[in-house]
Amino acid sequence: MTRRFGRRMVALLLAPLLTGCSIGDVRRPPPDRTAPSSRPTAIEPSPSPPAPAIELRDVRVPVGKGYDRPYVEFVTAEQAYALFSSCPAERDCPAVLYATVDGGRSWRRLVLPRVVAENPQLYAVPGVLALLAEPHGWYTSTDGGRTFAHSTGEQEPVAWRAAQGRFQIDESTGRVVRWDGLRATPLPAQPPVPVPHGVVEARGLLVVAGVDGGKSYAAVSTDRGRTWQRTPVPAPDGEVAVLRPVVGPDGEARLVGWPPDRTGFPALWRYLGRWVAVPAAGHPERADSVVPLTTGRFAVNGPDGAGVVADGRYDRLDWPVAPKHHLTLLVDGTLVGRAPDEVLLATGPVGNRRWVRVVLAPA
Protein backbone atom coordinates (compact mmCIF):
# COMPACT_ATOMS: atom_id res chain seq x y z
CA MET A 1 0.00 0.00 0.00
CA THR A 2 1.30 3.46 -0.85
CA ARG A 3 2.45 5.22 2.29
CA ARG A 4 1.62 8.82 1.64
CA PHE A 5 2.95 10.23 4.87
CA GLY A 6 5.54 7.55 5.64
CA ARG A 7 8.41 10.01 5.65
CA ARG A 8 6.93 11.77 8.70
CA MET A 9 6.90 8.76 10.89
CA VAL A 10 9.46 8.05 13.45
CA ALA A 11 10.37 4.84 13.89
CA LEU A 12 12.02 3.46 16.97
CA LEU A 13 14.93 0.45 18.06
CA LEU A 14 16.18 -3.13 18.61
CA ALA A 15 19.21 -5.49 19.07
CA PRO A 16 18.76 -8.62 16.89
CA LEU A 17 20.78 -11.83 17.13
CA LEU A 18 23.58 -12.44 14.72
CA THR A 19 23.66 -16.15 14.11
CA GLY A 20 26.98 -17.94 13.95
CA CYS A 21 28.67 -19.05 10.77
CA SER A 22 28.43 -22.65 9.69
CA ILE A 23 31.60 -24.59 10.45
CA GLY A 24 30.80 -27.53 8.18
CA ASP A 25 32.48 -30.95 8.15
CA VAL A 26 35.89 -31.26 9.72
CA ARG A 27 38.11 -33.77 7.89
CA ARG A 28 41.58 -35.05 8.87
CA PRO A 29 44.03 -37.23 6.91
CA PRO A 30 43.75 -40.98 7.68
CA PRO A 31 46.29 -42.24 10.27
CA ASP A 32 49.60 -43.65 9.06
CA ARG A 33 48.99 -47.35 9.58
CA THR A 34 52.70 -48.16 9.03
CA ALA A 35 53.71 -46.29 12.18
CA PRO A 36 53.02 -47.54 15.69
CA SER A 37 50.18 -45.67 17.32
CA SER A 38 47.39 -46.00 19.78
CA ARG A 39 43.87 -46.84 18.71
CA PRO A 40 42.68 -44.26 16.14
CA THR A 41 40.16 -41.72 17.40
CA ALA A 42 37.03 -41.22 15.31
CA ILE A 43 36.55 -37.60 14.30
CA GLU A 44 32.89 -36.61 14.10
CA PRO A 45 31.92 -33.77 11.76
CA SER A 46 31.01 -30.57 13.56
CA PRO A 47 27.31 -29.86 13.07
CA SER A 48 26.22 -26.67 11.40
CA PRO A 49 24.17 -24.35 13.60
CA PRO A 50 20.45 -24.88 13.02
CA ALA A 51 18.43 -22.28 11.21
CA PRO A 52 16.38 -20.11 13.56
CA ALA A 53 13.12 -21.77 14.59
CA ILE A 54 10.05 -19.79 13.62
CA GLU A 55 6.75 -19.81 15.48
CA LEU A 56 3.82 -19.48 13.08
CA ARG A 57 0.76 -17.48 14.08
CA ASP A 58 -1.68 -17.98 11.20
CA VAL A 59 -5.16 -16.50 11.77
CA ARG A 60 -8.23 -16.07 9.56
CA VAL A 61 -10.82 -13.42 10.40
CA PRO A 62 -14.31 -12.79 8.95
CA VAL A 63 -14.32 -9.61 6.87
CA GLY A 64 -16.68 -10.45 4.01
CA LYS A 65 -16.14 -11.86 0.56
CA GLY A 66 -13.52 -10.58 -1.85
CA TYR A 67 -11.14 -8.77 0.49
CA ASP A 68 -7.44 -9.10 -0.13
CA ARG A 69 -4.84 -9.48 2.60
CA PRO A 70 -4.62 -6.56 5.03
CA TYR A 71 -1.96 -3.99 5.71
CA VAL A 72 -0.55 -4.82 9.16
CA GLU A 73 1.22 -2.31 11.41
CA PHE A 74 2.93 -3.46 14.62
CA VAL A 75 3.45 -0.91 17.41
CA THR A 76 5.19 -3.29 19.82
CA ALA A 77 5.84 -7.02 19.75
CA GLU A 78 2.36 -7.54 21.21
CA GLN A 79 0.23 -4.70 19.83
CA ALA A 80 -0.71 -4.31 16.18
CA TYR A 81 -3.49 -3.20 13.84
CA ALA A 82 -4.63 -4.60 10.51
CA LEU A 83 -6.60 -2.73 7.84
CA PHE A 84 -8.62 -4.65 5.25
CA SER A 85 -9.53 -2.27 2.45
CA SER A 86 -8.58 -3.85 -0.89
CA CYS A 87 -11.01 -5.83 -3.02
CA PRO A 88 -11.87 -6.21 -6.75
CA ALA A 89 -12.30 -2.90 -8.56
CA GLU A 90 -15.98 -3.49 -9.31
CA ARG A 91 -16.87 -3.58 -5.60
CA ASP A 92 -16.93 -0.95 -2.90
CA CYS A 93 -14.80 -1.97 0.09
CA PRO A 94 -15.64 -0.40 3.43
CA ALA A 95 -12.56 -0.28 5.63
CA VAL A 96 -12.42 -3.12 8.14
CA LEU A 97 -10.03 -2.73 11.07
CA TYR A 98 -8.72 -5.40 13.45
CA ALA A 99 -6.40 -5.22 16.45
CA THR A 100 -4.26 -7.63 18.46
CA VAL A 101 -2.70 -7.27 21.89
CA ASP A 102 -1.07 -10.71 22.01
CA GLY A 103 1.34 -10.53 19.10
CA GLY A 104 -1.08 -11.78 16.44
CA ARG A 105 -2.30 -14.92 18.20
CA SER A 106 -5.81 -13.50 18.24
CA TRP A 107 -7.52 -10.50 16.63
CA ARG A 108 -10.61 -8.47 17.48
CA ARG A 109 -12.63 -6.29 15.16
CA LEU A 110 -12.78 -2.56 15.92
CA VAL A 111 -15.87 -0.47 15.33
CA LEU A 112 -15.41 2.01 12.50
CA PRO A 113 -17.83 4.11 10.49
CA ARG A 114 -18.76 2.43 7.20
CA VAL A 115 -16.14 4.25 5.19
CA VAL A 116 -15.44 3.58 1.51
CA ALA A 117 -12.24 5.47 0.72
CA GLU A 118 -10.13 5.91 -2.38
CA ASN A 119 -6.92 4.75 -0.74
CA PRO A 120 -7.34 4.21 2.99
CA GLN A 121 -4.08 4.17 4.93
CA LEU A 122 -3.24 2.98 8.41
CA TYR A 123 -0.67 4.55 10.75
CA ALA A 124 0.13 3.51 14.30
CA VAL A 125 2.61 4.52 16.99
CA PRO A 126 2.48 4.02 20.76
CA GLY A 127 -0.57 5.80 22.04
CA VAL A 128 -2.12 6.82 18.71
CA LEU A 129 -3.89 5.00 15.87
CA ALA A 130 -4.75 6.97 12.73
CA LEU A 131 -6.70 6.03 9.60
CA LEU A 132 -6.64 8.29 6.53
CA ALA A 133 -9.77 7.72 4.46
CA GLU A 134 -9.89 10.04 1.44
CA PRO A 135 -12.02 12.03 0.80
CA HIS A 136 -13.53 11.69 4.27
CA GLY A 137 -10.47 12.79 6.23
CA TRP A 138 -8.85 11.28 9.31
CA TYR A 139 -10.11 8.94 12.04
CA THR A 140 -7.84 9.06 15.10
CA SER A 141 -7.91 7.00 18.28
CA THR A 142 -5.90 7.45 21.47
CA ASP A 143 -7.52 4.53 23.35
CA GLY A 144 -6.51 1.55 21.25
CA GLY A 145 -9.38 1.82 18.80
CA ARG A 146 -12.28 1.90 21.23
CA THR A 147 -13.28 5.38 20.07
CA PHE A 148 -12.31 7.56 17.10
CA ALA A 149 -12.25 11.30 16.49
CA HIS A 150 -12.98 12.50 12.95
CA SER A 151 -11.17 15.41 11.30
CA THR A 152 -11.17 16.65 7.72
CA GLY A 153 -8.42 17.87 5.43
CA GLU A 154 -5.05 16.44 4.43
CA GLN A 155 -3.15 17.77 7.46
CA GLU A 156 -2.45 15.01 9.97
CA PRO A 157 -4.34 15.31 13.26
CA VAL A 158 -2.51 17.10 16.04
CA ALA A 159 -2.61 14.01 18.28
CA TRP A 160 -0.85 12.00 15.57
CA ARG A 161 1.84 14.62 14.97
CA ALA A 162 2.50 15.00 18.70
CA ALA A 163 2.99 11.23 19.03
CA GLN A 164 5.84 11.18 16.50
CA GLY A 165 8.41 12.21 19.07
CA ARG A 166 9.36 15.08 21.33
CA PHE A 167 11.58 16.67 18.65
CA GLN A 168 10.56 16.79 14.98
CA ILE A 169 11.16 18.53 11.68
CA ASP A 170 8.25 20.80 10.76
CA GLU A 171 7.88 20.02 7.08
CA SER A 172 5.98 23.22 6.36
CA THR A 173 8.90 25.38 7.57
CA GLY A 174 11.88 22.98 7.63
CA ARG A 175 12.60 24.02 11.22
CA VAL A 176 13.27 21.77 14.21
CA VAL A 177 10.42 22.00 16.72
CA ARG A 178 9.63 20.59 20.13
CA TRP A 179 6.21 19.21 20.98
CA ASP A 180 4.82 20.08 24.39
CA GLY A 181 1.42 18.51 24.85
CA LEU A 182 -0.49 19.23 21.64
CA ARG A 183 1.52 22.25 20.53
CA ALA A 184 4.83 22.56 18.68
CA THR A 185 7.26 25.40 19.27
CA PRO A 186 10.52 26.13 17.40
CA LEU A 187 13.72 25.45 19.30
CA PRO A 188 15.56 28.42 20.83
CA ALA A 189 18.23 28.06 18.15
CA GLN A 190 18.14 26.21 14.85
CA PRO A 191 20.94 23.76 13.98
CA PRO A 192 23.53 24.70 11.31
CA VAL A 193 22.00 22.18 8.89
CA PRO A 194 20.58 23.94 5.81
CA VAL A 195 18.05 21.23 4.90
CA PRO A 196 17.40 18.94 7.89
CA HIS A 197 16.11 15.45 7.04
CA GLY A 198 15.68 14.15 10.59
CA VAL A 199 16.23 14.68 14.29
CA VAL A 200 16.79 12.12 17.09
CA GLU A 201 17.74 12.01 20.75
CA ALA A 202 20.71 9.80 21.59
CA ARG A 203 22.54 9.56 24.93
CA GLY A 204 21.69 13.09 25.96
CA LEU A 205 22.42 14.50 22.52
CA LEU A 206 20.00 16.05 20.09
CA VAL A 207 21.21 15.12 16.59
CA VAL A 208 20.08 16.70 13.31
CA ALA A 209 21.31 15.72 9.85
CA GLY A 210 20.53 16.47 6.23
CA VAL A 211 21.90 17.12 2.74
CA ASP A 212 22.13 20.38 0.81
CA GLY A 213 23.75 20.82 -2.58
CA GLY A 214 25.13 17.28 -2.45
CA LYS A 215 26.96 17.92 0.83
CA SER A 216 26.14 16.12 4.08
CA TYR A 217 25.56 18.16 7.25
CA ALA A 218 25.09 17.16 10.88
CA ALA A 219 24.95 18.99 14.19
CA VAL A 220 24.52 18.05 17.86
CA SER A 221 23.13 19.84 20.89
CA THR A 222 23.75 18.97 24.54
CA ASP A 223 21.19 21.44 25.92
CA ARG A 224 18.02 20.46 24.00
CA GLY A 225 18.47 22.90 21.19
CA ARG A 226 19.60 26.06 22.94
CA THR A 227 23.05 25.82 21.35
CA TRP A 228 24.46 23.67 18.55
CA GLN A 229 27.82 22.31 17.43
CA ARG A 230 28.40 21.49 13.78
CA THR A 231 29.90 18.00 13.38
CA PRO A 232 31.61 17.31 10.03
CA VAL A 233 30.49 14.17 8.20
CA PRO A 234 33.31 12.31 6.37
CA ALA A 235 32.61 12.21 2.65
CA PRO A 236 31.16 8.87 1.49
CA ASP A 237 32.33 6.92 -1.53
CA GLY A 238 29.21 7.80 -3.53
CA GLU A 239 26.57 10.49 -3.70
CA VAL A 240 24.12 10.89 -0.81
CA ALA A 241 20.71 12.49 -1.37
CA VAL A 242 18.99 11.68 1.94
CA LEU A 243 20.81 11.64 5.28
CA ARG A 244 18.90 10.57 8.36
CA PRO A 245 20.06 10.21 11.96
CA VAL A 246 19.06 7.00 13.76
CA VAL A 247 19.67 5.59 17.21
CA GLY A 248 21.01 2.11 17.90
CA PRO A 249 19.51 -0.10 20.59
CA ASP A 250 22.56 0.78 22.69
CA GLY A 251 21.65 4.48 22.48
CA GLU A 252 24.45 5.31 20.04
CA ALA A 253 23.78 7.92 17.35
CA ARG A 254 24.27 6.81 13.73
CA LEU A 255 23.76 8.25 10.27
CA VAL A 256 22.33 6.45 7.24
CA GLY A 257 22.87 8.10 3.86
CA TRP A 258 20.91 6.91 0.82
CA PRO A 259 21.89 7.51 -2.82
CA PRO A 260 19.53 9.55 -5.01
CA ASP A 261 17.72 6.59 -6.60
CA ARG A 262 17.57 4.48 -3.40
CA THR A 263 18.82 1.48 -5.41
CA GLY A 264 22.41 1.48 -4.14
CA PHE A 265 24.00 0.55 -0.83
CA PRO A 266 23.72 3.17 1.94
CA ALA A 267 26.62 5.05 3.49
CA LEU A 268 26.88 4.52 7.25
CA TRP A 269 28.43 6.46 10.15
CA ARG A 270 28.75 6.18 13.95
CA TYR A 271 29.03 9.07 16.41
CA LEU A 272 32.01 8.52 18.72
CA GLY A 273 32.54 12.13 19.73
CA ARG A 274 32.83 12.74 15.99
CA TRP A 275 31.30 11.04 12.95
CA VAL A 276 33.22 7.94 11.91
CA ALA A 277 32.50 6.18 8.62
CA VAL A 278 31.50 2.52 8.88
CA PRO A 279 33.08 0.50 6.04
CA ALA A 280 31.19 -2.44 4.56
CA ALA A 281 33.73 -4.35 2.46
CA GLY A 282 32.10 -7.00 0.30
CA HIS A 283 28.63 -5.48 0.45
CA PRO A 284 26.12 -6.12 -2.35
CA GLU A 285 25.29 -3.42 -4.86
CA ARG A 286 21.86 -2.76 -3.44
CA ALA A 287 20.05 -2.56 -0.11
CA ASP A 288 16.39 -1.74 0.45
CA SER A 289 16.30 -1.36 4.24
CA VAL A 290 18.79 -0.99 7.08
CA VAL A 291 18.45 -0.91 10.87
CA PRO A 292 21.07 -0.25 13.58
CA LEU A 293 22.12 -3.06 15.90
CA THR A 294 24.26 -2.99 19.05
CA THR A 295 27.97 -2.16 19.17
CA GLY A 296 27.99 -0.19 15.96
CA ARG A 297 26.58 -2.89 13.70
CA PHE A 298 23.85 -2.58 11.07
CA ALA A 299 21.43 -5.17 9.69
CA VAL A 300 20.73 -4.79 5.98
CA ASN A 301 18.21 -6.45 3.68
CA GLY A 302 17.80 -6.35 -0.09
CA PRO A 303 17.73 -8.48 -3.24
CA ASP A 304 20.68 -10.54 -1.98
CA GLY A 305 19.02 -11.31 1.36
CA ALA A 306 19.84 -10.22 4.88
CA GLY A 307 23.33 -9.31 6.02
CA VAL A 308 25.22 -7.51 8.76
CA VAL A 309 27.78 -4.71 8.60
CA ALA A 310 30.29 -5.28 11.37
CA ASP A 311 34.04 -4.82 11.87
CA GLY A 312 34.40 -3.06 8.54
CA ARG A 313 32.83 -5.70 6.32
CA TYR A 314 29.52 -7.13 5.18
CA ASP A 315 28.52 -10.76 5.93
CA ARG A 316 25.38 -12.74 5.19
CA LEU A 317 22.97 -13.59 8.00
CA ASP A 318 21.12 -16.84 8.50
CA TRP A 319 17.85 -15.08 9.26
CA PRO A 320 14.41 -16.17 8.01
CA VAL A 321 14.19 -12.91 6.09
CA ALA A 322 13.53 -12.81 2.35
CA PRO A 323 14.23 -9.93 -0.05
CA LYS A 324 10.51 -9.05 0.12
CA HIS A 325 10.77 -8.11 3.81
CA HIS A 326 11.33 -4.48 4.75
CA LEU A 327 13.25 -4.19 8.02
CA THR A 328 12.26 -1.71 10.72
CA LEU A 329 12.71 -1.37 14.48
CA LEU A 330 9.98 -0.81 17.05
CA VAL A 331 10.22 1.25 20.21
CA ASP A 332 10.43 -1.87 22.37
CA GLY A 333 13.44 -3.18 20.43
CA THR A 334 11.54 -5.64 18.25
CA LEU A 335 12.91 -6.22 14.76
CA VAL A 336 10.15 -6.28 12.14
CA GLY A 337 10.36 -7.68 8.63
CA ARG A 338 7.18 -6.66 6.81
CA ALA A 339 6.00 -8.17 3.53
CA PRO A 340 2.64 -7.96 1.71
CA ASP A 341 1.57 -11.41 2.93
CA GLU A 342 3.21 -11.70 6.37
CA VAL A 343 5.13 -10.01 9.16
CA LEU A 344 8.26 -11.40 10.83
CA LEU A 345 9.02 -10.43 14.42
CA ALA A 346 12.32 -11.00 16.22
CA THR A 347 12.47 -10.50 19.98
CA GLY A 348 14.67 -11.52 22.87
CA PRO A 349 18.28 -11.00 23.90
CA VAL A 350 21.33 -11.63 21.77
CA GLY A 351 22.05 -15.36 21.82
CA ASN A 352 18.40 -16.25 22.33
CA ARG A 353 16.54 -14.54 19.54
CA ARG A 354 12.95 -15.65 19.00
CA TRP A 355 11.37 -15.45 15.53
CA VAL A 356 7.63 -15.29 14.90
CA ARG A 357 5.82 -15.32 11.57
CA VAL A 358 2.43 -13.54 11.70
CA VAL A 359 -0.05 -14.28 8.91
CA LEU A 360 -3.49 -12.68 8.85
CA ALA A 361 -5.98 -13.28 6.06
CA PRO A 362 -9.72 -13.07 5.37
CA ALA A 363 -11.70 -16.16 6.31
Side-chain angles (χ1 to χ4, degrees):
M1 175 180 296
T2 302
R3 307 293 290 161
R4 183 171 179 180
F5 294 97
R7 66 181 184 276
R8 301 181 185 179
M9 299 170 53
V10 174
L12 319 154
L13 308 171
L14 158 118
L17 163 68
L18 305 182
T19 57
C21 297
S22 174
I23 298 175
D25 291 344
V26 177
R27 308 295 186 190
R28 293 185 181 178
D32 184 356
R33 300 191 181 278
T34 63
S37 65
S38 60
R39 183 177 179 180
T41 301
I43 304 299
E44 296 293 337
S46 299
S48 298
I54 307 176
E55 176 189 348
L56 176 62
R57 299 172 185 170
D58 191 343
V59 179
R60 300 293 184 269
V61 293
V63 294
K65 295 182 178 180
Y67 280 88
D68 295 330
R69 290 184 181 271
Y71 175 81
V72 180
E73 185 79 87
F74 271 83
V75 178
T76 66
E78 299 297 318
Q79 184 183 22
Y81 301 94
L83 177 67
F84 291 85
S85 61
S86 178
C87 64
E90 64 272 11
R91 293 183 56 234
D92 290 333
C93 294
V96 179
L97 190 61
Y98 274 81
T100 180
V101 293
D102 57 11
R105 298 177 182 87
S106 63
W107 297 81
R108 64 181 178 89
R109 186 164 178 167
L110 301 179
V111 178
L112 271 178
R114 184 178 172 83
V115 175
V116 178
E118 296 177 4
N119 182 27
Q121 299 177 43
L122 170 69
Y123 305 93
V125 294
V128 180
L129 165 66
L131 175 66
L132 174 61
E134 298 175 330
H136 309 287
W138 290 85
Y139 295 87
T140 308
S141 175
T142 57
D143 56 12
R146 288 187 290 272
T147 61
F148 286 86
H150 180 230
S151 58
T152 58
E154 293 189 355
Q155 184 68 44
E156 301 105 314
V158 172
W160 168 257
R161 296 179 64 192
Q164 302 307 300
R166 183 166 53 169
F167 297 95
Q168 300 177 30
I169 305 297
D170 185 342
E171 293 191 3
S172 63
T173 64
R175 305 185 65 174
V176 182
V177 298
R178 176 173 178 170
W179 279 87
D180 184 11
L182 297 179
R183 184 176 62 180
T185 56
L187 296 183
Q190 289 298 303
V193 178
V195 183
H197 291 167
V199 53
V200 297
E201 293 182 83
R203 291 180 178 173
L205 292 177
L206 198 57
V207 182
V208 176
V211 176
D212 184 46
K215 183 179 179 181
S216 298
Y217 292 85
V220 300
S221 174
T222 58
D223 53 15
R224 298 185 178 182
R226 287 188 289 273
T227 60
W228 292 90
Q229 176 185 354
R230 178 175 290 174
T231 52
V233 180
D237 291 336
E239 184 180 1
V240 169
V242 177
L243 183 66
R244 297 193 185 281
V246 297
V247 183
D250 49 9
E252 180 185 271
R254 324 273 183 90
L255 295 177
V256 178
W258 289 99
D261 56 5
R262 280 298 298 259
T263 61
F265 197 86
L268 307 170
W269 296 265
R270 300 174 62 187
Y271 187 73
L272 303 174
R274 57 187 177 87
W275 293 111
V276 177
V278 178
H283 69 74
E285 293 184 0
R286 177 176 170 179
D288 296 327
S289 55
V290 57
V291 293
L293 307 179
T294 55
T295 61
R297 299 170 297 173
F298 292 84
V300 180
N301 195 39
D304 294 307
V308 60
V309 177
D311 299 324
R313 62 171 291 104
Y314 171 92
D315 291 296
R316 294 292 300 273
L317 285 171
D318 186 20
W319 282 359
V321 176
K324 67 179 180 178
H325 292 106
H326 183 81
L327 298 181
T328 57
L329 291 169
L330 302 183
V331 292
D332 64 351
T334 302
L335 172 70
V336 177
R338 187 168 56 205
D341 58 342
E342 65 181 17
V343 176
L344 290 175
L345 304 175
T347 61
V350 173
N352 190 25
R353 179 67 57 200
R354 180 184 180 187
W355 290 89
V356 175
R357 187 187 308 275
V358 179
V359 179
L360 182 66

